[in-house]
């Protein structure tokens, strides 16, 4: 596992130190999550507050239009605040997820950096299947609560993965276009989720902050679980319970 971290990320920090960093970060995030939930609904359990936010979501037929509107709003905020250069007028195309990719709620599919013709990037969003019973459709749509969906749009598109991709495509050398670090791709997208709120997007709405913190908690849990499963013999069941307990899932 340490060898993988060195080859992929040039990280040679001992695993016990990495684990300590992750656990310290988890404590900080959890404290902030609980405090933010308290702003929304004082005195109520944090998990209940997050669950209630999930009930405020677009209908199935409004899911894609709502996503398109959020993306334009985010792009304009970046331009108005001059937060980062947008190197192109291209837009990401929001479409319903094709049948063969429907294991994902939402995902970005970008063209290769050397593709000369089909250069479009798609933001696929998966509505519930129309033949599902109403309760299953509602459960699926709860993953697209307005606050969580907006946070996903930041992470996946503006100024997250899609904007990163637009710059990456203009890298000055072939080598720079071919090689990259997973930690930087995902690190940038995670960083901008917090940065956009710190810069005033949503005007301090604690609901969006709670959604951002929920995503940060999940990624921190995954960091810890990866180390413990690969080096401390944790089982899938232990990892599952840890994520449920610490990421409010």
């Amino acid at each position: 596992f340490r060898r993988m971290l060195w080859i992929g990320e040039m990280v040679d920090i001992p695993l016990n130190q990495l684990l300590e960093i992750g656990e310290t970060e988890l404590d900080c995030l959890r404290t902030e999550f609980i405090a933010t939930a308290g702003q929304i609904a004082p005195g109520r359990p944090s998990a209940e507050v997050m669950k209630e936010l999930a009930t405020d979501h677009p209908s199935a037929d409004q899911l894609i239009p709502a996503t398109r509107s959020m993306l334009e709003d985010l792009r304009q905020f970046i331009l108005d605040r001059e937060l980062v250069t947008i190197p192109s007028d291209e837009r990401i195309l929001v479409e319903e997820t094709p049948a063969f990719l429907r294991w994902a709620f939402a995902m970005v599919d970008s063209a290769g950096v050397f593709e000369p013709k089909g250069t479009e990037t798609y933001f696929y969003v998966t509505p519930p299947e129309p033949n599902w019973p109403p309760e299953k459709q509602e459960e699926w749509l709860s993953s697209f609560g307005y606050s969580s969906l907006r946070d996903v749009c930041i992470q996946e598109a503006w100024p997250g993965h899609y904007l990163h991709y637009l710059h990456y495509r203009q890298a000055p050398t072939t080598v720079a276009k071919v090689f990259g670090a997973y930690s930087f791709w995902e690190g940038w997208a995670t960083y901008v989720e917090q940065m956009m709120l710190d810069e005033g997007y949503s005007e301090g709405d604690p609901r969006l902050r709670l959604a951002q913190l929920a995503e940060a908690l999940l990624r921190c849990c995954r960091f810890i679980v990866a180390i413990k499963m690969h080096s401390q013999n944790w089982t899938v069941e232990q990892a599952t319970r840890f994520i449920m307990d610490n990421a409010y899932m």
Side-chain angles (χ1 to χ4, degrees):
F1 189 70
R2 288 191 64 192
R3 181 69 176 158
M4 181 199 72
L5 293 177
W6 172 248
I7 292 172
E9 310 294 336
M10 298 183 73
V11 169
D12 60 358
I13 300 171
L15 293 184
N16 62 341
Q17 188 177 339
L18 287 174
L19 192 56
E20 183 180 341
I21 291 169
E23 289 171 341
T24 299
E25 178 69 7
L26 182 62
D27 286 341
C28 293
L29 289 170
R30 194 163 41 215
T31 299
E32 190 175 355
F33 184 92
I34 292 169
T36 304
Q39 294 177 31
I40 300 168
R44 291 185 56 195
S46 303
E48 282 187 15
V49 178
M50 191 69 207
K51 188 173 182 179
E52 187 170 306
L53 285 185
T55 64
D56 182 24
H57 56 71
S59 61
D61 62 337
Q62 287 300 307
L63 184 57
I64 290 175
T67 303
R68 289 190 182 121
S69 176
M70 288 179 185
L71 292 175
E72 283 301 309
D73 182 55
L74 288 163
R75 187 179 186 277
Q76 193 59 50
F77 181 84
I78 295 166
L79 292 172
D80 292 344
R81 296 297 181 95
E82 299 182 336
L83 294 177
V84 60
T85 302
I86 298 178
S88 166
D89 288 330
E90 294 178 58
R91 298 295 203 277
I92 193 169
L93 304 177
V94 184
E95 303 287 349
E96 189 171 316
T97 308
F100 65 91
L101 287 174
R102 290 210 169 195
W103 48 267
F105 286 95
M107 63 177 293
V108 168
D109 187 13
S110 298
V113 292
F114 302 118
E115 174 59 55
K117 295 181 180 179
T119 58
E120 299 87 354
T121 294
Y122 292 90
F123 188 177
Y124 289 132
V125 181
T126 308
E129 299 296 338
N131 61 341
W132 285 351
E135 61 273 14
K136 186 174 182 180
Q137 293 195 37
E138 175 61 26
E139 182 182 19
W140 185 267
L141 286 169
S142 70
S143 295
F144 296 105
Y146 282 106
S147 297
S148 296
L149 180 58
R150 198 173 294 274
D151 185 73
V152 169
C153 287
I154 294 172
Q155 206 257 356
E156 296 291 341
W158 300 110
H161 290 312
Y162 179 56
L163 180 57
H164 190 166
Y165 164 77
L166 291 178
H167 281 280
Y168 194 67
R169 207 169 64 190
Q170 297 185 7
T173 68
T174 299
V175 171
K177 290 178 180 178
V178 170
F179 293 101
Y182 180 78
S183 56
F184 187 61
W185 278 101
E186 294 301 328
W188 167 257
T190 299
Y191 159 72
V192 297
E193 288 179 62
Q194 178 177 333
M195 179 275 288
M196 289 287 281
L197 305 192
D198 291 349
E199 289 293 329
Y201 184 71
S202 83
E203 300 178 342
D205 186 345
R207 295 170 298 177
L208 184 53
R209 179 67 75 177
L210 195 69
Q212 178 258 314
L213 288 167
E215 289 295 320
L217 277 168
L218 175 58
R219 295 188 186 103
C220 195
C221 286
R222 282 154 62 177
F223 178 89
I224 293 169
V225 161
I227 296 171
K228 292 199 171 190
M229 289 184 73
H230 287 285
S231 68
Q232 296 186 9
N233 296 317
W234 261 32
T235 64
V236 172
E237 290 73 22
Q238 285 176 295
T240 302
R241 174 50 56 188
F242 184 84
I243 291 173
M244 290 173 68
D245 290 343
N246 291 281
Y248 301 93
M249 297 188 73

